[in-house]
Amino acid sequence: QVQLVESGGGLVQAGGSLRLSCAASGGRTFSSYGMGWFRQAPGKEREGVAAIAPSGTTTTYVDSVKGRFTISRDNAKNTVYLQMNSLKPEDTAVYYCGTGRNVYGATMATRYYDYWGRGTQVTVSS
């Protein structure tokens, strides 16, 4: 069973930065599957933020974070990261990392995601 554990969330002022980490463990090869970061704000649906292909060479971002967030991965450490710069109050949400048995590229389509972490809270104050 795949386990994902997020860390790195917190409270930051607008314009600040945070780096989220997601450590993966379980009975499969981390480097064979794409990974994604998602977020869910109160009263809103979960949305894809960024995704990365197994090799790390292909990435995808939602328009609202392009130029501010960077997704990366270290396959030797079974970890995926989300560097978040120039944070805005509207970035406030619980951030989740995910992966799936059929996530082979940098897709943010949630229907392909089978495994999720418990999330980490990011709060951006104005």
Side-chain angles (χ1 to χ4, degrees):
Q1 182 72 10
V2 175
Q3 294 183 336
L4 303 172
V5 179
E6 303 95 337
S7 61
L11 173 64
V12 64
Q13 289 187 334
S17 298
L18 284 173
R19 188 193 194 205
L20 306 183
S21 299
C22 172
S25 62
R28 62 179 219 156
T29 304
F30 177 79
S31 60
S32 297
Y33 297 92
M35 300 289 295
W37 283 100
F38 298 76
R39 66 187 179 187
Q40 188 166 18
K44 295 187 177 182
E45 293 186 354
R46 187 173 298 188
E47 67 165 347
V49 175
I52 188 166
S55 64
T57 56
T58 303
T59 56
T60 305
Y61 298 92
V62 67
D63 286 347
S64 59
V65 308
K66 285 180 180 178
R68 300 189 298 123
F69 291 11
T70 302
I71 188 171
S72 61
R73 64 191 296 162
D74 185 337
N75 287 339
K77 295 182 178 180
N78 287 1
T79 301
V80 63
Y81 305 97
L82 185 68
Q83 178 67 44
M84 305 186 295
N85 299 328
S86 302
L87 282 161
K88 304 176 181 180
E90 51 263 43
D91 294 318
T92 295
V94 178
Y95 283 71
Y96 301 88
C97 71
T99 188
R101 290 164 290 183
N102 295 307
V103 179
Y104 297 115
T107 179
M108 292 190 290
T110 55
R111 64 184 179 274
Y112 296 116
Y113 282 75
D114 306 303
Y115 307 109
W116 299 94
R118 292 188 175 185
T120 185
Q121 176 70 46
V122 172
T123 303
V124 185
S125 63
S126 58

